[in-house]
Amino acid sequence: MFTPFSVYQTVDDIVPLLDDDANLVLPLCENIIFLMKKVLDPYKEECVSFTRNDATVVGMFAKIQEMAKESLAAYKANNNTIAPLFYRIEYEAYIKMRYLILHGESAQLAYRLASYKARYKAYQQYIKNPNAVAKVMADKFLADLDDEGFLLSDIANNEVKAFDGKNVRQLMTEIGEEKIYDSVYGISSDIIHTDWGETRQFYLFGDKERMVYRFEPIKLHYRVAIGYAQLNIQASELYFDWLDKNGLKEAKVLSELLEEFNRVLKLICQHILNTYSASPDTYMRN
């Protein structure tokens, strides 16, 4: 399939374009996100509907697409304290989407049922202490249950936890990604938890003795955007394959485009790896 990226066939082809994000990095990232949006809304005049269980997967991918869009916007604005936040949220959604696809309807149903646990407890408090605000919340809760096809007893008697009660490390182990937990998910979680490693790098600078407020943000290197793009590709490949197996024919056509974008992405990744090997000092400060 011919695209504007088809002219780039080797690492040497793409290297001259990496000095300015606008030449290649941003168009590639934007096209990947465009495909993600397109597969969610493939038709102009009609919507694709899914069962409530299948919709858990669709909803996960919709969140992934939204986080991908926001993380790229933050990258373009050089907002290096916000872009990783969206990436961290997106990565967790990706892991959980993989779990829902892997385990199918039983996991999808458990995910739906467990989501009402906190609202059920709040509903019980309303019964004991009714008031006007809580009544509206309770009525919305009951209406949502009705839409879902659940009874109050389904929620009250449910003992199955979402994702079988596993944390993200356990989920990553189950799907075979435990080796990158610390380097990908663990480090990105530092931003959520305000770890010193995140604080000193993004908000301070100095020497071995003293530090001061970092009044200008660190300029984000393009390999940050490429890392985000890799996750977007992985999530899209998984979702497109799931759609194809569920009979959405448009997924196959979009998958061919995604494969082409991934080919170019791999060229950029190869250049980055080459630089790490040949000139490791290049990336010590950015």
Side-chain angles (χ1 to χ4, degrees):
M1 177 177 291
F2 184 83
T3 74
F5 301 105
S6 298
V7 295
Y8 310 125
Q9 293 296 317
T10 69
V11 172
D12 289 341
D13 291 336
I14 57 95
V15 170
L17 303 174
L18 298 177
D19 290 338
D20 186 339
D21 286 351
N23 291 334
L24 178 60
V25 171
L26 289 180
L28 182 61
C29 292
E30 289 164 351
N31 272 275
I32 293 169
I33 294 172
F34 170 79
L35 278 189
M36 297 170 77
K37 177 68 173 179
K38 184 65 177 177
V39 81
L40 285 166
D41 187 20
Y43 309 118
K44 289 184 178 180
E45 298 180 355
E46 61 180 292
C47 297
V48 181
S49 64
F50 298 86
T51 66
R52 286 267 172 170
N53 282 335
D54 282 345
T56 61
V57 176
V58 180
M60 282 285 186
F61 188 73
K63 180 170 184 174
I64 289 168
Q65 186 272 335
E66 189 66 24
M67 294 302 100
K69 182 181 70 175
E70 294 299 332
S71 63
L72 183 61
Y75 170 82
K76 290 165 70 173
N78 198 43
N79 196 336
N80 56 24
T81 61
I82 298 299
L85 283 172
F86 290 120
Y87 175 79
R88 161 61 168 71
I89 295 169
E90 180 184 350
Y91 197 86
E92 182 168 337
Y94 163 66
I95 295 299
K96 291 181 174 179
M97 183 180 74
R98 284 189 63 172
Y99 183 91
L100 292 176
I101 290 175
L102 177 65
H103 291 282
E105 287 195 358
S106 60
Q108 294 157 9
L109 178 60
Y111 174 57
R112 292 168 55 212
L113 280 167
S115 72
Y116 288 94
K117 181 179 179 180
R119 292 178 66 192
Y120 177 66
K121 289 181 178 179
Y123 174 79
Q124 290 178 304
Q125 289 299 315
Y126 161 69
I127 298 300
K128 296 177 183 177
N129 303 289
N131 62 71
V133 175
K135 183 180 185 307
V136 173
M137 296 175 63
D139 288 346
K140 289 173 67 176
F141 169 64
L142 294 175
D144 285 346
L145 287 187
D146 184 61
D147 288 342
E148 292 270 20
F150 295 152
L151 302 174
L152 271 174
S153 58
D154 294 329
I155 311 302
N157 299 327
N158 178 50
E159 297 182 356
V160 179
K161 296 181 179 180
F163 308 104
D164 203 25
K166 297 174 181 174
N167 59 33
V168 174
R169 181 186 288 274
Q170 292 169 323
L171 293 177
M172 291 181 70
T173 298
E174 182 169 336
I175 63 177
E177 293 206 5
E178 69 275 15
K179 291 182 179 179
I180 62 172
Y181 174 87
D182 292 319
S183 61
V184 176
Y185 186 84
I187 290 178
S188 65
S189 294
D190 289 350
I191 295 169
I192 300 292
H193 304 303
T194 316
D195 182 85
W196 171 239
E198 177 254 350
T199 305
R200 66 178 172 79
Q201 291 183 79
F202 288 138
Y203 301 103
L204 304 166
F205 74 97
D207 55 26
K208 291 183 179 181
E209 300 295 330
R210 312 283 291 183
M211 302 196 82
V212 299
Y213 165 64
R214 183 182 291 279
F215 49 86
E216 290 186 358
I218 302 170
K219 177 68 174 72
L220 292 173
H221 189 268
Y222 67 79
R223 70 186 190 283
V224 172
I226 293 304
Y228 297 166
Q230 285 181 297
L231 176 57
N232 297 338
I233 288 282
Q234 290 174 336
S236 298
E237 287 177 336
L238 179 68
Y239 184 68
F240 286 20
D241 182 63
W242 178 80
L243 284 177
D244 187 50
K245 291 176 180 176
N246 279 272
L248 188 66
K249 60 182 184 297
E250 283 73 17
K252 184 173 180 59
V253 176
L254 294 176
S255 292
E256 293 175 0
L257 274 172
L258 190 69
E259 184 177 342
E260 169 67 0
F261 297 160
N262 194 26
R263 181 189 64 78
V264 179
L265 183 68
K266 287 178 178 178
L267 293 177
I268 301 175
C269 290
Q270 186 58 59
H271 170 66
I272 292 171
L273 291 175
N274 291 347
T275 303
Y276 270 113
S277 297
S279 307
D281 289 347
T282 302
Y283 296 144
M284 282 296 292
R285 294 297 178 183
N286 65 14

mmCIF file of all heavy atoms in Angstrom, residues 120-161:
data_model
loop_
_atom_site.group_PDB
_atom_site.id
_atom_site.type_symbol
_atom_site.label_atom_id
_atom_site.label_comp_id
_atom_site.label_asym_id
_atom_site.label_seq_id
_atom_site.Cartn_x
_atom_site.Cartn_y
_atom_site.Cartn_z
ATOM 1 N N TYR A 120 -22.805 0.994 44.860
ATOM 2 C CA TYR A 120 -23.763 0.215 45.653
ATOM 3 C C TYR A 120 -23.632 0.576 47.134
ATOM 4 O O TYR A 120 -24.649 0.719 47.838
ATOM 5 C CB TYR A 120 -23.534 -1.280 45.455
ATOM 6 C CG TYR A 120 -24.436 -2.154 46.299
ATOM 7 C CD1 TYR A 120 -25.812 -2.185 46.093
ATOM 8 C CD2 TYR A 120 -23.913 -2.927 47.331
ATOM 9 C CE1 TYR A 120 -26.652 -2.969 46.875
ATOM 10 C CE2 TYR A 120 -24.735 -3.718 48.116
ATOM 11 C CZ TYR A 120 -26.103 -3.737 47.890
ATOM 12 O OH TYR A 120 -26.927 -4.520 48.674
ATOM 13 N N LYS A 121 -22.411 0.750 47.606
ATOM 14 C CA LYS A 121 -22.197 1.141 49.000
ATOM 15 C C LYS A 121 -22.782 2.529 49.254
ATOM 16 O O LYS A 121 -23.380 2.783 50.307
ATOM 17 C CB LYS A 121 -20.711 1.109 49.330
ATOM 18 C CG LYS A 121 -20.127 -0.299 49.404
ATOM 19 C CD LYS A 121 -18.654 -0.254 49.772
ATOM 20 C CE LYS A 121 -18.093 -1.669 49.885
ATOM 21 N NZ LYS A 121 -16.636 -1.648 50.226
ATOM 22 N N ALA A 122 -22.596 3.433 48.282
ATOM 23 C CA ALA A 122 -23.166 4.771 48.419
ATOM 24 C C ALA A 122 -24.691 4.701 48.422
ATOM 25 O O ALA A 122 -25.367 5.443 49.160
ATOM 26 C CB ALA A 122 -22.683 5.667 47.279
ATOM 27 N N TYR A 123 -25.253 3.813 47.616
ATOM 28 C CA TYR A 123 -26.706 3.618 47.561
ATOM 29 C C TYR A 123 -27.233 3.145 48.915
ATOM 30 O O TYR A 123 -28.283 3.607 49.395
ATOM 31 C CB TYR A 123 -27.044 2.614 46.479
ATOM 32 C CG TYR A 123 -28.501 2.209 46.422
ATOM 33 C CD1 TYR A 123 -29.449 3.032 45.817
ATOM 34 C CD2 TYR A 123 -28.937 1.008 46.979
ATOM 35 C CE1 TYR A 123 -30.786 2.668 45.762
ATOM 36 C CE2 TYR A 123 -30.270 0.626 46.930
ATOM 37 C CZ TYR A 123 -31.197 1.469 46.332
ATOM 38 O OH TYR A 123 -32.517 1.094 46.282
ATOM 39 N N GLN A 124 -26.510 2.240 49.553
ATOM 40 C CA GLN A 124 -26.916 1.748 50.868
ATOM 41 C C GLN A 124 -26.917 2.872 51.904
ATOM 42 O O GLN A 124 -27.793 2.915 52.782
ATOM 43 C CB GLN A 124 -25.973 0.621 51.320
ATOM 44 C CG GLN A 124 -26.136 -0.672 50.534
ATOM 45 C CD GLN A 124 -25.152 -1.738 50.965
ATOM 46 O OE1 GLN A 124 -23.939 -1.514 50.949
ATOM 47 N NE2 GLN A 124 -25.667 -2.882 51.372
ATOM 48 N N GLN A 125 -25.935 3.799 51.787
ATOM 49 C CA GLN A 125 -25.895 4.933 52.702
ATOM 50 C C GLN A 125 -27.094 5.844 52.484
ATOM 51 O O GLN A 125 -27.650 6.410 53.436
ATOM 52 C CB GLN A 125 -24.590 5.719 52.498
ATOM 53 C CG GLN A 125 -23.351 5.007 52.982
ATOM 54 C CD GLN A 125 -23.378 4.713 54.466
ATOM 55 O OE1 GLN A 125 -23.747 5.583 55.279
ATOM 56 N NE2 GLN A 125 -23.027 3.488 54.826
ATOM 57 N N TYR A 126 -27.518 5.986 51.216
ATOM 58 C CA TYR A 126 -28.685 6.811 50.921
ATOM 59 C C TYR A 126 -29.937 6.236 51.581
ATOM 60 O O TYR A 126 -30.756 6.981 52.135
ATOM 61 C CB TYR A 126 -28.910 6.921 49.421
ATOM 62 C CG TYR A 126 -30.322 7.365 49.075
ATOM 63 C CD1 TYR A 126 -30.745 8.661 49.358
ATOM 64 C CD2 TYR A 126 -31.233 6.471 48.524
ATOM 65 C CE1 TYR A 126 -32.045 9.062 49.093
ATOM 66 C CE2 TYR A 126 -32.535 6.857 48.247
ATOM 67 C CZ TYR A 126 -32.940 8.151 48.538
ATOM 68 O OH TYR A 126 -34.225 8.537 48.281
ATOM 69 N N ILE A 127 -30.067 4.932 51.541
ATOM 70 C CA ILE A 127 -31.236 4.286 52.149
ATOM 71 C C ILE A 127 -31.309 4.612 53.638
ATOM 72 O O ILE A 127 -32.389 4.841 54.199
ATOM 73 C CB ILE A 127 -31.177 2.759 51.935
ATOM 74 C CG1 ILE A 127 -31.207 2.413 50.446
ATOM 75 C CG2 ILE A 127 -32.315 2.065 52.667
ATOM 76 C CD1 ILE A 127 -32.436 2.883 49.713
ATOM 77 N N LYS A 128 -30.130 4.663 54.271
ATOM 78 C CA LYS A 128 -30.088 4.952 55.708
ATOM 79 C C LYS A 128 -30.275 6.441 55.995
ATOM 80 O O LYS A 128 -30.878 6.819 57.007
ATOM 81 C CB LYS A 128 -28.751 4.490 56.292
ATOM 82 C CG LYS A 128 -28.527 2.988 56.216
ATOM 83 C CD LYS A 128 -27.144 2.633 56.744
ATOM 84 C CE LYS A 128 -26.869 1.130 56.606
ATOM 85 N NZ LYS A 128 -25.492 0.790 57.066
ATOM 86 N N ASN A 129 -29.734 7.282 55.129
ATOM 87 C CA ASN A 129 -29.774 8.729 55.352
ATOM 88 C C ASN A 129 -30.187 9.448 54.068
ATOM 89 O O ASN A 129 -29.348 10.060 53.387
ATOM 90 C CB ASN A 129 -28.402 9.236 55.809
ATOM 91 C CG ASN A 129 -27.913 8.548 57.061
ATOM 92 O OD1 ASN A 129 -28.442 8.773 58.147
ATOM 93 N ND2 ASN A 129 -26.892 7.701 56.912
ATOM 94 N N PRO A 130 -31.463 9.405 53.714
ATOM 95 C CA PRO A 130 -31.909 9.990 52.445
ATOM 96 C C PRO A 130 -31.806 11.517 52.442
ATOM 97 O O PRO A 130 -32.006 12.164 53.454
ATOM 98 C CB PRO A 130 -33.362 9.533 52.349
ATOM 99 C CG PRO A 130 -33.782 9.281 53.762
ATOM 100 C CD PRO A 130 -32.563 8.773 54.457
ATOM 101 N N ASN A 131 -31.454 12.063 51.269
ATOM 102 C CA ASN A 131 -31.478 13.507 51.054
ATOM 103 C C ASN A 131 -31.635 13.753 49.560
ATOM 104 O O ASN A 131 -31.538 12.818 48.750
ATOM 105 C CB ASN A 131 -30.225 14.190 51.617
ATOM 106 C CG ASN A 131 -28.962 13.701 50.941
ATOM 107 O OD1 ASN A 131 -28.709 14.019 49.773
ATOM 108 N ND2 ASN A 131 -28.152 12.908 51.666
ATOM 109 N N ALA A 132 -31.887 14.992 49.180
ATOM 110 C CA ALA A 132 -32.219 15.305 47.793
ATOM 111 C C ALA A 132 -31.073 14.991 46.829
ATOM 112 O O ALA A 132 -31.301 14.461 45.733
ATOM 113 C CB ALA A 132 -32.612 16.781 47.675
ATOM 114 N N VAL A 133 -29.848 15.326 47.212
ATOM 115 C CA VAL A 133 -28.709 15.074 46.333
ATOM 116 C C VAL A 133 -28.491 13.572 46.168
ATOM 117 O O VAL A 133 -28.325 13.062 45.052
ATOM 118 C CB VAL A 133 -27.431 15.743 46.895
ATOM 119 C CG1 VAL A 133 -26.219 15.366 46.045
ATOM 120 C CG2 VAL A 133 -27.600 17.253 46.938
ATOM 121 N N ALA A 134 -28.497 12.860 47.281
ATOM 122 C CA ALA A 134 -28.264 11.415 47.235
ATOM 123 C C ALA A 134 -29.369 10.691 46.477
ATOM 124 O O ALA A 134 -29.110 9.663 45.841
ATOM 125 C CB ALA A 134 -28.154 10.858 48.650
ATOM 126 N N LYS A 135 -30.605 11.235 46.521
ATOM 127 C CA LYS A 135 -31.708 10.590 45.799
ATOM 128 C C LYS A 135 -31.436 10.567 44.294
ATOM 129 O O LYS A 135 -31.684 9.573 43.621
ATOM 130 C CB LYS A 135 -33.031 11.297 46.075
ATOM 131 C CG LYS A 135 -34.219 10.619 45.393
ATOM 132 C CD LYS A 135 -35.521 11.327 45.680
ATOM 133 C CE LYS A 135 -36.697 10.543 45.092
ATOM 134 N NZ LYS A 135 -36.548 10.228 43.664
ATOM 135 N N VAL A 136 -30.941 11.700 43.771
ATOM 136 C CA VAL A 136 -30.626 11.748 42.342
ATOM 137 C C VAL A 136 -29.526 10.741 42.014
ATOM 138 O O VAL A 136 -29.593 10.023 41.010
ATOM 139 C CB VAL A 136 -30.201 13.171 41.931
ATOM 140 C CG1 VAL A 136 -29.714 13.189 40.480
ATOM 141 C CG2 VAL A 136 -31.374 14.133 42.102
ATOM 142 N N MET A 137 -28.495 10.673 42.848
ATOM 143 C CA MET A 137 -27.423 9.719 42.635
ATOM 144 C C MET A 137 -27.938 8.284 42.679
ATOM 145 O O MET A 137 -27.557 7.442 41.857
ATOM 146 C CB MET A 137 -26.325 9.910 43.687
ATOM 147 C CG MET A 137 -25.612 11.248 43.613
ATOM 148 S SD MET A 137 -24.418 11.494 44.960
ATOM 149 C CE MET A 137 -23.272 10.156 44.617
ATOM 150 N N ALA A 138 -28.836 8.017 43.614
ATOM 151 C CA ALA A 138 -29.402 6.678 43.735
ATOM 152 C C ALA A 138 -30.266 6.329 42.528
ATOM 153 O O ALA A 138 -30.206 5.210 42.015
ATOM 154 C CB ALA A 138 -30.226 6.575 45.023
ATOM 155 N N ASP A 139 -31.058 7.285 42.067
ATOM 156 C CA ASP A 139 -31.908 7.048 40.902
ATOM 157 C C ASP A 139 -31.060 6.783 39.649
ATOM 158 O O ASP A 139 -31.389 5.922 38.824
ATOM 159 C CB ASP A 139 -32.837 8.243 40.660
ATOM 160 C CG ASP A 139 -33.938 8.345 41.711
ATOM 161 O OD1 ASP A 139 -34.142 7.356 42.448
ATOM 162 O OD2 ASP A 139 -34.570 9.415 41.803
ATOM 163 N N LYS A 140 -29.960 7.528 39.508
ATOM 164 C CA LYS A 140 -29.062 7.302 38.375
ATOM 165 C C LYS A 140 -28.424 5.916 38.475
ATOM 166 O O LYS A 140 -28.253 5.226 37.464
ATOM 167 C CB LYS A 140 -27.978 8.390 38.338
ATOM 168 C CG LYS A 140 -28.492 9.766 37.943
ATOM 169 C CD LYS A 140 -27.424 10.837 38.079
ATOM 170 C CE LYS A 140 -26.304 10.637 37.078
ATOM 171 N NZ LYS A 140 -25.306 11.756 37.154
ATOM 172 N N PHE A 141 -28.049 5.531 39.669
ATOM 173 C CA PHE A 141 -27.463 4.208 39.899
ATOM 174 C C PHE A 141 -28.444 3.105 39.486
ATOM 175 O O PHE A 141 -28.075 2.170 38.760
ATOM 176 C CB PHE A 141 -27.092 4.076 41.381
ATOM 177 C CG PHE A 141 -26.734 2.685 41.813
ATOM 178 C CD1 PHE A 141 -25.614 2.042 41.294
ATOM 179 C CD2 PHE A 141 -27.517 2.018 42.761
ATOM 180 C CE1 PHE A 141 -25.273 0.757 41.706
ATOM 181 C CE2 PHE A 141 -27.180 0.733 43.172
ATOM 182 C CZ PHE A 141 -26.060 0.109 42.642
ATOM 183 N N LEU A 142 -29.699 3.231 39.905
ATOM 184 C CA LEU A 142 -30.703 2.218 39.558
ATOM 185 C C LEU A 142 -30.991 2.208 38.056
ATOM 186 O O LEU A 142 -31.193 1.141 37.461
ATOM 187 C CB LEU A 142 -31.994 2.474 40.348
ATOM 188 C CG LEU A 142 -31.891 2.291 41.874
ATOM 189 C CD1 LEU A 142 -33.194 2.694 42.545
ATOM 190 C CD2 LEU A 142 -31.534 0.851 42.229
ATOM 191 N N ALA A 143 -30.987 3.392 37.443
ATOM 192 C CA ALA A 143 -31.215 3.468 36.000
ATOM 193 C C ALA A 143 -30.069 2.805 35.240
ATOM 194 O O ALA A 143 -30.288 2.104 34.244
ATOM 195 C CB ALA A 143 -31.372 4.925 35.564
ATOM 196 N N ASP A 144 -28.843 3.021 35.705
ATOM 197 C CA ASP A 144 -27.686 2.392 35.066
ATOM 198 C C ASP A 144 -27.758 0.874 35.193
ATOM 199 O O ASP A 144 -27.442 0.144 34.241
ATOM 200 C CB ASP A 144 -26.381 2.901 35.687
ATOM 201 C CG ASP A 144 -26.035 4.314 35.243
ATOM 202 O OD1 ASP A 144 -26.648 4.795 34.267
ATOM 203 O OD2 ASP A 144 -25.166 4.939 35.875
ATOM 204 N N LEU A 145 -28.146 0.389 36.355
ATOM 205 C CA LEU A 145 -28.294 -1.057 36.545
ATOM 206 C C LEU A 145 -29.324 -1.630 35.576
ATOM 207 O O LEU A 145 -29.127 -2.706 34.993
ATOM 208 C CB LEU A 145 -28.720 -1.383 37.983
ATOM 209 C CG LEU A 145 -27.700 -1.235 39.104
ATOM 210 C CD1 LEU A 145 -28.272 -1.782 40.405
ATOM 211 C CD2 LEU A 145 -26.409 -1.962 38.765
ATOM 212 N N ASP A 146 -30.414 -0.896 35.409
ATOM 213 C CA ASP A 146 -31.462 -1.351 34.499
ATOM 214 C C ASP A 146 -30.944 -1.424 33.059
ATOM 215 O O ASP A 146 -31.220 -2.388 32.336
ATOM 216 C CB ASP A 146 -32.665 -0.406 34.597
ATOM 217 C CG ASP A 146 -33.841 -0.884 33.753
ATOM 218 O OD1 ASP A 146 -34.354 -1.989 33.995
ATOM 219 O OD2 ASP A 146 -34.222 -0.149 32.826
ATOM 220 N N ASP A 147 -30.192 -0.407 32.656
ATOM 221 C CA ASP A 147 -29.600 -0.415 31.315
ATOM 222 C C ASP A 147 -28.659 -1.604 31.132
ATOM 223 O O ASP A 147 -28.579 -2.191 30.048
ATOM 224 C CB ASP A 147 -28.836 0.886 31.053
ATOM 225 C CG ASP A 147 -29.761 2.078 30.860
ATOM 226 O OD1 ASP A 147 -30.957 1.863 30.591
ATOM 227 O OD2 ASP A 147 -29.272 3.225 30.988
ATOM 228 N N GLU A 148 -27.931 -1.926 32.175
ATOM 229 C CA GLU A 148 -26.967 -3.024 32.123
ATOM 230 C C GLU A 148 -27.631 -4.398 32.149
ATOM 231 O O GLU A 148 -27.010 -5.404 31.817
ATOM 232 C CB GLU A 148 -25.993 -2.929 33.305
ATOM 233 C CG GLU A 148 -25.051 -1.749 33.257
ATOM 234 C CD GLU A 148 -23.756 -2.056 32.538
ATOM 235 O OE1 GLU A 148 -23.723 -3.029 31.759
ATOM 236 O OE2 GLU A 148 -22.779 -1.320 32.756
ATOM 237 N N GLY A 149 -28.894 -4.419 32.612
ATOM 238 C CA GLY A 149 -29.560 -5.710 32.773
ATOM 239 C C GLY A 149 -29.197 -6.389 34.081
ATOM 240 O O GLY A 149 -29.347 -7.613 34.228
ATOM 241 N N PHE A 150 -28.730 -5.590 35.054
ATOM 242 C CA PHE A 150 -28.349 -6.114 36.363
ATOM 243 C C PHE A 150 -29.451 -5.845 37.383
ATOM 244 O O PHE A 150 -30.198 -4.872 37.266
ATOM 245 C CB PHE A 150 -27.060 -5.469 36.876
ATOM 246 C CG PHE A 150 -25.839 -5.779 36.055
ATOM 247 C CD1 PHE A 150 -24.776 -4.870 36.022
ATOM 248 C CD2 PHE A 150 -25.728 -6.953 35.332
ATOM 249 C CE1 PHE A 150 -23.632 -5.143 35.289
ATOM 250 C CE2 PHE A 150 -24.591 -7.231 34.580
ATOM 251 C CZ PHE A 150 -23.540 -6.322 34.563
ATOM 252 N N LEU A 151 -29.516 -6.682 38.392
ATOM 253 C CA LEU A 151 -30.382 -6.473 39.540
ATOM 254 C C LEU A 151 -29.527 -6.018 40.717
ATOM 255 O O LEU A 151 -28.315 -6.236 40.744
ATOM 256 C CB LEU A 151 -31.114 -7.764 39.908
ATOM 257 C CG LEU A 151 -31.986 -8.395 38.830
ATOM 258 C CD1 LEU A 151 -32.519 -9.747 39.307
ATOM 259 C CD2 LEU A 151 -33.131 -7.474 38.455
ATOM 260 N N LEU A 152 -30.171 -5.405 41.702
ATOM 261 C CA LEU A 152 -29.436 -5.026 42.910
ATOM 262 C C LEU A 152 -28.774 -6.245 43.542
ATOM 263 O O LEU A 152 -27.649 -6.169 44.049
ATOM 264 C CB LEU A 152 -30.380 -4.370 43.913
ATOM 265 C CG LEU A 152 -30.576 -2.857 43.817
ATOM 266 C CD1 LEU A 152 -31.646 -2.399 44.793
ATOM 267 C CD2 LEU A 152 -29.265 -2.122 44.089
ATOM 268 N N SER A 153 -29.458 -7.362 43.484
ATOM 269 C CA SER A 153 -28.906 -8.595 44.073
ATOM 270 C C SER A 153 -27.649 -9.057 43.339
ATOM 271 O O SER A 153 -26.757 -9.656 43.942
ATOM 272 C CB SER A 153 -29.961 -9.701 44.070
ATOM 273 O OG SER A 153 -30.410 -9.960 42.746
ATOM 274 N N ASP A 154 -27.566 -8.758 42.037
ATOM 275 C CA ASP A 154 -26.360 -9.127 41.282
ATOM 276 C C ASP A 154 -25.135 -8.408 41.841
ATOM 277 O O ASP A 154 -24.044 -8.979 41.934
ATOM 278 C CB ASP A 154 -26.514 -8.761 39.806
ATOM 279 C CG ASP A 154 -27.582 -9.568 39.101
ATOM 280 O OD1 ASP A 154 -27.797 -10.739 39.483
ATOM 281 O OD2 ASP A 154 -28.205 -9.030 38.165
ATOM 282 N N ILE A 155 -25.321 -7.151 42.199
ATOM 283 C CA ILE A 155 -24.216 -6.364 42.736
ATOM 284 C C ILE A 155 -23.932 -6.760 44.185
ATOM 285 O O ILE A 155 -22.775 -6.937 44.577
ATOM 286 C CB ILE A 155 -24.521 -4.854 42.665
ATOM 287 C CG1 ILE A 155 -25.022 -4.474 41.258
ATOM 288 C CG2 ILE A 155 -23.306 -4.046 43.060
ATOM 289 C CD1 ILE A 155 -24.066 -4.810 40.147
ATOM 290 N N ALA A 156 -25.014 -6.916 44.956
ATOM 291 C CA ALA A 156 -24.859 -7.250 46.373
ATOM 292 C C ALA A 156 -24.183 -8.599 46.574
ATOM 293 O O ALA A 156 -23.381 -8.769 47.507
ATOM 294 C CB ALA A 156 -26.231 -7.249 47.050
ATOM 295 N N ASN A 157 -24.471 -9.547 45.694
ATOM 296 C CA ASN A 157 -23.955 -10.908 45.870
ATOM 297 C C ASN A 157 -22.679 -11.182 45.068
ATOM 298 O O ASN A 157 -22.122 -12.274 45.142
ATOM 299 C CB ASN A 157 -25.022 -11.931 45.466
ATOM 300 C CG ASN A 157 -26.272 -11.821 46.322
ATOM 301 O OD1 ASN A 157 -26.194 -11.493 47.510
ATOM 302 N ND2 ASN A 157 -27.435 -12.070 45.719
ATOM 303 N N ASN A 158 -22.235 -10.185 44.314
ATOM 304 C CA ASN A 158 -21.056 -10.409 43.471
ATOM 305 C C ASN A 158 -19.783 -10.483 44.306
ATOM 306 O O ASN A 158 -19.485 -9.586 45.094
ATOM 307 C CB ASN A 158 -20.910 -9.271 42.448
ATOM 308 C CG ASN A 158 -19.675 -9.453 41.585
ATOM 309 O OD1 ASN A 158 -19.443 -10.525 41.034
ATOM 310 N ND2 ASN A 158 -18.888 -8.398 41.464
ATOM 311 N N GLU A 159 -19.034 -11.545 44.139
ATOM 312 C CA GLU A 159 -17.765 -11.709 44.850
ATOM 313 C C GLU A 159 -16.578 -11.764 43.897
ATOM 314 O O GLU A 159 -15.436 -11.925 44.333
ATOM 315 C CB GLU A 159 -17.812 -12.986 45.702
ATOM 316 C CG GLU A 159 -18.872 -12.944 46.804
ATOM 317 C CD GLU A 159 -18.870 -14.194 47.660
ATOM 318 O OE1 GLU A 159 -18.091 -15.121 47.333
ATOM 319 O OE2 GLU A 159 -19.636 -14.245 48.641
ATOM 320 N N VAL A 160 -16.849 -11.639 42.601
ATOM 321 C CA VAL A 160 -15.782 -11.689 41.600
ATOM 322 C C VAL A 160 -15.230 -10.286 41.401
ATOM 323 O O VAL A 160 -15.976 -9.336 41.169
ATOM 324 C CB VAL A 160 -16.299 -12.254 40.262
ATOM 325 C CG1 VAL A 160 -15.176 -12.279 39.232
ATOM 326 C CG2 VAL A 160 -16.873 -13.653 40.463
ATOM 327 N N LYS A 161 -13.925 -10.143 41.483
ATOM 328 C CA LYS A 161 -13.285 -8.847 41.320
ATOM 329 C C LYS A 161 -12.899 -8.604 39.870
ATOM 330 O O LYS A 161 -12.626 -9.558 39.126
ATOM 331 C CB LYS A 161 -12.044 -8.760 42.207
ATOM 332 C CG LYS A 161 -12.343 -8.837 43.694
ATOM 333 C CD LYS A 161 -11.062 -8.728 44.506
ATOM 334 C CE LYS A 161 -11.367 -8.783 46.001
ATOM 335 N NZ LYS A 161 -10.123 -8.685 46.813
#
